[in-house]
Amino acid sequence: MNELHWTLQALVAALLVIGGVFSLVGAIGLLRFPDFFMRLHAPTKASTLGVGGVLLASLVIHWAQGDHGLHELLITLFIFITAPVSANLLAKAALHQRQPSKAELPADQPQP
């Protein structure tokens, strides 16, 4: 394995830190939010960005070594498509089961 230039190493390190921070924020949101709908929001958004940061770091390493990085691009495409779709399906299932929400209604909405 060839040594990477220090700027590429710094870029990879920054992408890994950014991905880790987003994943940590998503995990904390999953623990702290009070109901299902709020808990659903935090990890879906954060996991997409967190995994995206790690995959971009891997892509930079592979491109610097002369690889094409097709695996990383396919994984990124898969994550970016499946995470929002699965979150939408989970939210629809929770609405269908009439899961209670602790979120307040906007001021212009009538109270049930």
Side-chain angles (χ1 to χ4, degrees):
M1 184 166 134
N2 298 335
E3 285 291 320
L4 294 178
H5 193 266
W6 69 270
T7 55
L8 286 176
Q9 289 180 4
L11 176 64
V12 168
L15 287 170
L16 288 173
V17 167
I18 289 170
V21 166
F22 275 114
S23 296
L24 178 66
V25 167
I28 291 171
L30 181 63
L31 292 173
R32 301 273 316 204
F33 284 151
D35 69 346
F36 173 78
F37 296 102
M38 292 180 196
R39 283 188 199 124
L40 181 64
H41 180 74
T44 3
K45 305 302 180 222
S47 69
T48 303
L49 295 172
V51 171
V54 172
L55 285 171
L56 283 175
S58 178
L59 191 63
V60 167
I61 288 175
H62 282 278
W63 278 349
Q65 294 175 348
D67 274 344
H68 49 74
L70 180 63
H71 294 103
E72 289 83 3
L73 290 174
L74 290 174
I75 293 170
T76 305
L77 178 68
F78 181 73
I79 296 279
F80 282 11
I81 289 173
T82 57
V85 171
S86 63
N88 187 17
L89 291 174
L90 284 169
K92 283 185 179 185
L95 286 172
H96 181 71
Q97 291 183 346
R98 300 185 187 270
Q99 287 285 328
S101 177
K102 295 183 180 178
E104 295 180 17
L105 290 176
D108 62 345
Q109 295 291 322
Q111 298 293 329

